[in-house]
Amino acid sequence: MSGIGIVKAQRAHFATPLTLRSGAVVPAFDLAYETYGSLNAAKSNAILVCHALSGNHHVAGHYADDVHNEGWWDNIVGPGRPLDTERFFVVGVNNLGGFHGSTGPVSPNPATGKPWGADFPLVTVDDWVKAQARLADLLGIDSWAAVIGGSLGGMQALQWAINLPQRVRHSLVIAAAPKLTAQNIAFNDVARQAIITDPDFHGGHYYEHAVRPLRGLRLARMLGHITYLSDDQMAEKFGRVLKTGAFSFGYDVEFEIESYLRYQGDKFAGVFDANTYLLMTKALDYFDPAHHFNGDLAAALVPATAKFLIVSFTTDWRFAPARSREIVNALLKNKQKVSYAEITCNFGHDSFLMDDPQYHALVRAYLERVTL
Amino acid sequence: MNTLARPDFQVIASWVQPGERVLDLGCGDGALLRLLIETRGALGYGIEIDDANVLAAVKNGMNVIQSDLEAGLSGFEDASFDHVVLSQTLQAMRHTEAIVFEMLRVGREAVVSFPNFGYWKHRMDILQGHMPVSERLPYQWYDTPNIHLCTIADFDDFCARRNIVVKERRVFDEGRLITEEHNFLGSLAVYRITRG
């Protein structure tokens, strides 16, 4: 049951060209967004929620004509919830390169009139911060009370604090990492290869062929999904349980885990765009605020003036607690204000989406201390 | 937490100069940190392992890092704090010696407080054939978290053997400062130590 009730997606158009980190220029762009609660007179109570790999601007509530389409982080946003919409004005945005209403590969390329497809420029977390700042300008928000996100969303919260320090008072970085490891990138590349080698991919211009690389996208999601869950949780939920109770000595679905993963893969491939998936995984791979500082994360964080809450989850092996501690240690080195919690939770990387009592109590307690 | 029940808090506060950096190990709900920040203008961080305490410290508006002290202070740079405080926790640590060295690595000086096992009431209990139970040692032998109890004389020996300098020592009983016969009359000892 959603807390906030019926919500409406909005779309903002930005006519000024945006120069991306790659050097490419997006001549104009749209961002889809939603807002919950009311902006106070001082415009000091706004929280930006940044989404992860497969998220979008629909963070909370449901649509009047689609009551079952509940926002992806509804359990934490709403009246009386940790991101309390009776106190805060919460903004969800679909990132540039998405396909839920923001400009991305499915949008028409003004140069050709056809969908951008694979020609849509690769975007980085820096670029997203720039684009999101345009939305903040439009909404009249000079400084966010907080920027919050999990996983790739947490990376945006961190980047905001570095790139636009005067515009972020608190940065909540959840289940994130300061950069991907070779293993993380390897998983992403297998996912990309699954999509790119799908015969229906057509070099990223599949829209013109009226097909979609569903097999590749399905495989990419199945692989990704394995990395979002913990070994313990999988063992507990599925174990070695067989669908029919006995081996069938064939390649059809036998184990429950196979059934689950295939279902998740199919469901995702049915609703997500492959080019956006590719682009989001590259944004993850490129993320590394310390890149221009010889790998010194503390040096990269020096400009940040925000206070930080860093949260990790014990069973998250995609971005393990040690990765969050790298961020914490860099902030400590700089004597920056930071709190860190390591939440005991069984749901692996996906824990950040769960309503674990300690986790939600912590976010609630932290945000209650935020002065408006 | 009632700070009046913690006479060591006032002593520690008097040792912290305005603007100094303090790391409080096992900070609980952050009451000491809050005192140091509010009355001494300190820049403070706490380390705490317990979920409920981490939550309470965040509610108190403190910077708290959830971490296991037994694993040391890796991640904290050498000499990055003016004071590293371990308040009434030393006796419950498994790696007692290691944490003292870690405190002296990370801090310019360390503040350690602990219940004095040599306190006369504790000696009386033992003479009568029982493990001591007192205001400062409120546990029974079977449920105590305290595994490394020591006397003031023992801690002095430890410091001397490990080339640790005792800069100051304050000893209390029932909230009152004890001025003589520390190891006999004091139930709580507070040390200010540095590397020799």
Side-chain angles (χ1 to χ4, degrees), chain A residues 98-330:
Chain A
F99 74 104
H100 291 96
S102 293
T103 298
V106 296
S107 312
N109 179 347
T112 63
K114 291 195 282 189
W116 283 91
D119 297 333
F120 193 83
L122 289 188
V123 289
T124 65
V125 171
D126 289 281
D127 299 327
W128 285 338
V129 169
K130 269 195 198 173
Q132 290 161 356
R134 297 262 189 104
L135 180 64
D137 294 341
L138 182 86
L139 297 172
I141 297 160
D142 284 339
S143 113
W144 299 102
V147 179
I148 179 172
S151 191
L152 179 56
M155 294 169 175
Q156 292 161 61
L158 190 65
Q159 195 77 59
W160 258 98
I162 295 170
N163 291 12
L164 297 168
Q166 71 286 6
R167 303 192 72 171
V168 191
R169 303 204 300 280
H170 295 269
S171 170
L172 285 77
V173 181
I174 301 168
K179 62 181 178 225
L180 266 59
T181 60
Q183 187 192 49
N184 293 147
I185 295 169
F187 276 120
N188 280 348
D189 195 48
V190 174
R192 284 192 293 268
Q193 288 301 312
I195 293 168
I196 289 167
T197 59
D198 184 321
D200 286 339
F201 183 63
H202 294 288
H205 293 287
Y206 46 88
Y207 315 108
E208 298 164 27
H209 297 81
V211 292
R212 297 172 58 229
L214 293 175
R215 283 162 288 184
L217 189 54
R218 173 176 180 263
L219 278 178
R221 182 60 172 184
M222 287 170 74
L223 176 71
H225 210 89
I226 296 168
T227 70
Y228 303 149
L229 306 179
S230 74
D231 192 16
D232 286 352
Q233 173 199 7
M234 267 202 203
E236 204 171 281
K237 196 166 172 183
F238 308 104
R240 291 180 50 86
V241 175
L242 296 159
K243 280 196 82 73
T244 61
F247 292 161
S248 57
F249 298 99
Y251 297 116
D252 282 340
V253 168
E254 284 192 85
F255 292 93
E256 284 287 357
I257 182 63
E258 296 174 320
S259 165
Y260 173 81
L261 276 182
R262 290 180 198 195
Y263 168 76
Q264 291 294 337
D266 286 335
K267 193 173 85 169
F268 186 77
V271 297
F272 209 83
D273 177 65
N275 280 319
T276 288
Y277 197 83
L278 291 173
L279 174 147
M280 296 280 171
T281 62
K282 285 303 275 190
L284 268 168
D285 291 0
Y286 291 141
F287 179 73
D288 180 9
H291 180 73
H292 295 301
F293 297 87
N294 289 323
D296 184 348
L297 182 61
L301 280 164
V302 163
T305 52
K307 295 175 183 167
F308 290 85
L309 177 66
I310 315 289
V311 180
S312 70
F313 299 92
T314 48
T315 55
D316 182 355
W317 57 277
R318 190 179 172 99
F319 297 141
R323 309 306 316 284
S324 283
R325 274 306 295 261
E326 292 174 33
I327 303 170
V328 172
N329 293 348

Side-chain angles (χ1 to χ4, degrees), chain A residues 335-336 339-340 342 358 369, chain B residues 45 51 59 64 66 80:
Chain A
K335 307 286 183 290
Q336 285 161 306
S339 282
Y340 167 69
E342 193 175 309
Q358 171 74 8
R369 301 285 308 187
Chain B
Y45 297 88
D51 280 349
K59 276 186 181 158
V64 58
Q66 188 161 29
S80 52

Side-chain angles (χ1 to χ4, degrees), chain B residues 22-177:
Chain B
V22 179
L23 179 63
D24 185 8
L25 309 184
C27 68
D29 66 358
L32 173 61
L33 277 174
R34 193 167 181 168
L35 179 77
L36 298 178
I37 290 166
E38 287 175 359
T39 67
R40 309 300 293 168
L43 171 64
Y45 297 88
I47 295 185
E48 181 54 58
I49 189 167
D50 177 72
D51 280 349
N53 281 337
V54 169
L55 187 58
V58 166
K59 276 186 181 158
N60 251 325
M62 297 299 109
N63 295 310
V64 58
I65 309 297
Q66 188 161 29
S67 187
D68 182 4
L69 290 181
E70 299 288 7
L73 300 176
S74 62
F76 290 89
E77 305 224 314
D78 293 0
S80 52
F81 284 87
D82 295 300
H83 307 270
V84 181
V85 178
L86 186 64
S87 175
Q88 299 190 42
T89 303
L90 185 72
Q91 75 282 355
M93 298 264 327
R94 182 175 298 273
H95 301 105
T96 316
E97 192 173 5
I99 195 65
V100 173
F101 292 146
E102 275 288 82
M103 291 172 76
L104 292 171
R105 175 182 70 78
V106 169
R108 192 167 52 76
E109 61 179 53
V111 174
V112 177
S113 69
F114 56 86
N116 175 28
F117 201 73
Y119 179 49
W120 67 272
K121 285 185 188 170
H122 298 159
R123 300 187 194 202
M124 290 285 287
D125 281 343
I126 288 179
L127 279 176
Q128 286 166 10
H130 290 284
M131 282 297 283
V133 177
S134 69
E135 185 193 7
R136 292 282 159 219
L137 295 177
Y139 303 98
Q140 296 293 334
W141 65 271
Y142 49 81
D143 64 6
T144 182
N146 299 327
I147 53 175
H148 278 136
L149 288 160
C150 70
T151 68
I152 287 173
D154 290 331
F155 195 76
D156 284 345
D157 283 351
F158 167 76
C159 291
R161 284 163 197 256
R162 293 291 180 269
N163 196 26
I164 293 167
V165 176
V166 177
K167 286 182 74 176
E168 278 189 67
R169 182 177 78 201
R170 297 283 170 80
V171 175
F172 296 88
D173 183 35
E174 294 179 352
R176 284 177 296 106
L177 191 67

